[in-house]
Amino acid sequence: VAVFDINSGEMLFSKHPDWVTPIASITKVMTALVLLDSEQPLNAWLEIPAPDLETRKNAYSRIRIGSKLKRNDLLKLALMSSENLAAYTLAYHHPGGVDAFVADMNKKATNLKMIDSTFVDPSGLSKLNVATASDLVKLLAEAAKHEEIQQYSTESSYTARFKEPRYSLAYGNTNRLVRRDNWDISLSKTGYITEAGRCLVLMSKLDGKDIG
């Protein structure tokens, strides 16, 4: 656990902040950063590919293979609803494909001085995606600089409209706290796999301060 003041960087509370553990879908925050760094057009339509073995084995998706959705909608579904195939699709359409995307995730971690973090897939389904709470402090602080990540990760619900074929799917946020008026949440990401347990990164206003 690590709780900190986003603006000053002051650590307010911690418990075993340097334990290296799987981080599950918290991984998708790094996926979002790498995607935004690539500066690919967010309004481009992307075809949904057949999932890789990790995604196919460990996650169910309602998205139809071969249909298309805009890149920004895929990012929104990955962040707010933790849609694993959406995250994989973003990496698949990265220059150089999934392998290049994962390499860029690790480069970004190095640049952020996340010294105990390793990424092997864009969705967080693998137990080999690991970090420490101290490293996730750095990840959250960087993500907070991006309006898209703040907005997309905190929407309570969204209906994605696909084409070829045309159909719609409704999604809800995996963090119920974003629906509560007494929580002023500006960034959120949940995660769960058996090896990681339940994970959460979150930024909220507390006594007028941005607390992560």
Side-chain angles (χ1 to χ4, degrees), residues 88-114:
Y88 178 76
T89 299
L90 294 172
Y92 181 88
H93 289 282
H94 188 70
V98 176
D99 288 345
F101 191 92
V102 171
D104 286 344
M105 294 172 75
N106 286 295
K107 289 177 186 175
K108 184 72 172 181
T110 299
N111 291 341
L112 294 176
K113 296 182 171 54
M114 296 171 61

Side-chain angles (χ1 to χ4, degrees), residues 44-191:
W45 289 89
L46 304 183
E47 183 174 331
I48 309 301
D52 64 351
L53 179 61
E54 191 77 56
T55 307
R56 186 167 63 249
K57 180 179 65 176
N58 291 317
Y60 167 76
S61 176
R62 294 179 292 152
I63 299 176
R64 303 181 194 178
I65 306 305
S67 62
K68 294 182 178 180
L69 189 65
K70 288 185 178 181
R71 182 177 274 116
N72 59 347
D73 287 333
L74 288 162
L75 178 59
K76 185 178 296 186
L77 298 187
L79 288 172
M80 64 164 286
S81 194
S82 216
E83 225 300 340
N84 293 295
L85 185 53
Y88 178 76
T89 299
L90 294 172
Y92 181 88
H93 289 282
H94 188 70
V98 176
D99 288 345
F101 191 92
V102 171
D104 286 344
M105 294 172 75
N106 286 295
K107 289 177 186 175
K108 184 72 172 181
T110 299
N111 291 341
L112 294 176
K113 296 182 171 54
M114 296 171 61
I115 59 175
D116 293 309
S117 298
T118 302
F119 297 93
V120 301
D121 81 80
S123 62
L125 289 169
S126 173
K127 66 181 180 181
L128 300 179
N129 288 328
V130 298
T132 63
S134 293
D135 278 355
L136 294 183
V137 164
K138 300 169 186 176
L139 180 66
L140 184 61
E142 182 68 16
K145 299 176 183 178
H146 294 270
E147 182 178 343
E148 295 93 342
I149 298 178
Q150 290 199 36
Q151 177 187 340
Y152 293 172
S153 70
T154 56
E155 288 198 22
S156 61
S157 61
Y158 185 70
T159 298
R161 306 189 188 281
F162 298 79
K163 69 176 186 178
E164 300 180 20
R166 188 180 300 275
Y167 64 101
S168 299
L169 293 174
Y171 290 86
N173 200 304
T174 54
N175 185 358
R176 297 178 183 177
L177 294 178
V178 302
R179 302 182 184 91
R180 296 186 180 179
D181 294 336
N182 56 338
W183 281 79
D184 186 5
I185 297 173
S186 53
L187 197 157
S188 168
K189 186 71 200 80
T190 63

Side-chain angles (χ1 to χ4, degrees), residues 21-25 124 126-127 129 191-199:
T21 62
I23 59 171
S25 284
S126 173
K127 66 181 180 181
N129 288 328
Y192 176 81
I193 57 174
T194 301
E195 296 85 355
R198 300 193 182 279
C199 310

